Amino acid sequence: MQEITIVGGGIAGLALAARLDAQRFQVTLYEQRTQLPAVGTSLMMWPKAQEALAAVGILDAVRASSPALAVGSLRSAAGDPWLVVPAGGTVAVSRPELIRLLDSAVPDSVRRVTGRFEGASPKANSSKGSEVLVGADGVGSVVRRSVWGESTRPRLTPYVAVRGVVPGRLWEDCSGEYWGRGDLFGIGPAAGGTNWYASFHSGFRPELAPGEIDVGRALELARLRFDGHAAAIREVLTTAETEATLAQRIWTTPPLAGYVRCRVALVGDAAHAMTPNLGRGACEAVIDAVTLADHLNSRPVDAALRAYGRQRLLRTQALRLGSAAMMRIALAGRLQPVRDLVLRAAGGRPRKFPPPSN
């Protein structure tokens, strides 16, 4: 049997471990986390990502745990709707639930190692005796830096993300993304409650410096930042509790010319971590994993890796650029009045668009 080492037990790593042919590969999965996460925001799964979840065997379970959202809207900071977008074909699943379901789909034959993977030689075809090494270890990927070089260290954006879940179904009347001056706030469905997320410029506050962020303080700053915004936003932040909130700076992966070197491959955020403004990071991580697994299951290893790289590079890099461009528009500062004027004129009355196909 051929050996595959997967570094990272998040969405991409678990999906890959679950999809690989256990009759062909001996899989080892490294993960630093000692237990599954209990807190996390909702992730929108678009149709192509749902196809990948179906391939892993968990789509029905994801749908069963996911509330339906008929439409989404783009709103001003005051809550006035500019654009209304049908959300048919998408499902919202909490990150902890998605990871739990993916974890349950991993076969018992996969060897699990709890601990830190120390990296691979840039010139090696394998590491620790493994035939293939896959970096699924996120934006700060050790595998990427070891094999692709220190120039691929993650890039820090000037924004902080604060997000969580609150009780109640406020999202039914107030769902959408609210764009202000240098900030945005989102409200959507979550299993048993309302999902919310906020982004704004971090400034030079020490409590928002890169590294470990004081969640309670970040939540206080979010309340101050959005105090003059729509009533729905203020209600969410008043209800939000530190224990059900996450806060972190937003990092991205620099552009890469390829996701495969020798027999080392990158998937998910290790390959193309993007800003969250298109809502595609988790989707593309699942698609990466299933695409790589299907090629490995059906082709010789080297041909499979090349096919994966060709298939996924251009699309994910385009989405990375698109997300960055959307972030600049959504979090506009001085140009915010012009942006709002254009969106207000484009809407006139709430404008509807056909649902996305992927």
Side-chain angles (χ1 to χ4, degrees):
M1 296 179 71
Q2 294 176 302
E3 295 184 9
I4 294 181
T5 294
I6 303 170
V7 182
I11 292 172
L14 290 171
L16 178 61
R19 182 62 175 169
L20 284 168
D21 184 352
Q23 300 300 313
R24 181 176 178 183
F25 299 107
Q26 177 59 59
V27 179
T28 300
L29 177 65
Y30 278 81
E31 173 53 44
Q32 294 187 77
R33 182 184 60 228
T34 57
Q35 58 187 6
L36 298 180
V39 178
T41 191
S42 290
L43 304 170
M44 295 302 294
M45 292 287 108
W46 301 91
K48 291 294 184 184
Q50 291 179 53
E51 292 177 12
L53 293 175
V56 175
I58 64 169
L59 179 58
D60 289 343
V62 166
R63 286 177 171 167
S65 67
S66 303
L69 178 63
V71 297
S73 61
L74 180 60
R75 301 171 181 261
S76 70
D80 301 321
W82 287 323
L83 305 172
V84 176
V85 182
T90 64
V91 296
V93 59
S94 77
R95 184 181 185 88
E97 178 67 3
L98 179 59
I99 290 178
R100 184 189 70 79
L101 291 171
L102 288 169
D103 186 79
S104 69
V106 175
D108 293 339
S109 60
V110 171
R111 174 174 172 260
R112 299 191 186 231
V113 178
T114 301
R116 180 178 176 83
F117 185 84
E118 296 301 333
S121 166
K123 297 181 180 180
N125 282 6
S126 60
S127 177
K128 299 184 183 299
S130 298
E131 185 75 10
V132 177
L133 174 64
V134 180
D137 48 341
V139 64
S141 174
V142 171
V143 174
R144 187 184 68 244
R145 296 204 318 271
S146 297
V147 178
W148 274 256
E150 289 297 319
S151 63
T152 66
R153 281 184 172 273
R155 295 179 177 178
L156 180 65
T157 74
Y159 297 98
V160 64
V162 189
R163 52 198 174 180
V165 176
V166 296
R169 299 175 68 85
L170 180 67
W171 62 269
E172 290 183 327
D173 298 320
C174 304
S175 65
E177 198 161 272
Y178 299 69
W179 288 4
R181 186 179 180 88
D183 56 49
L184 67 83
F185 198 96
I187 297 175
T194 293
N195 177 67
W196 66 273
Y197 56 91
S199 292
F200 54 92
H201 201 290
S202 65
F204 298 99
R205 297 176 183 274
E207 59 267 54
L208 299 182
E212 194 71 25
I213 290 180
D214 185 322
V215 176
R217 181 57 179 152
L219 188 53
E220 290 178 12
L221 292 173
R223 288 173 178 140
L224 291 172
R225 176 80 192 206
F226 293 94
D227 184 57
H229 288 51
I233 295 176
R234 300 197 303 273
E235 182 177 347
V236 166
L237 290 175
T238 299
T239 308
E241 297 181 352
T242 302
E243 295 74 16
T245 301
L246 297 174
Q248 59 189 153
R249 294 291 297 275
I250 298 177
W251 298 77
T252 63
T253 301
L256 299 179
Y259 299 157
V260 175
R261 286 195 175 180
C262 298
R263 289 195 167 185
V264 182
L266 301 175
V267 294
D269 282 354
H272 46 69
M274 58 190 78
T275 65
N277 301 84
L278 291 181
R280 301 303 290 259
C283 291
E284 300 308 315
V286 175
I287 296 171
D288 279 356
V290 170
T291 300
L292 177 57
D294 286 352
H295 284 306
L296 286 168
N297 290 342
S298 60
R299 301 181 180 216
V301 167
D302 293 325
L305 293 173
R306 289 194 299 269
Y308 161 74
R310 287 194 302 268
Q311 186 171 343
R312 296 300 296 155
L313 178 65
L314 293 181
R315 175 177 176 81
T316 52
Q317 287 297 308
L319 286 168
R320 187 187 62 80
L321 291 172
S323 292
M326 185 61 74
M327 180 180 71
R328 289 192 290 272
I329 295 171
L331 295 166
R334 289 179 300 171
L335 294 179
Q336 174 257 334
V338 176
R339 179 203 66 194
D340 291 3
L341 183 63
V342 170
L343 288 170
R344 194 174 295 113
R349 56 188 176 82
R351 178 176 293 186
K352 297 184 178 180
F353 293 91
S357 59
N358 54 47

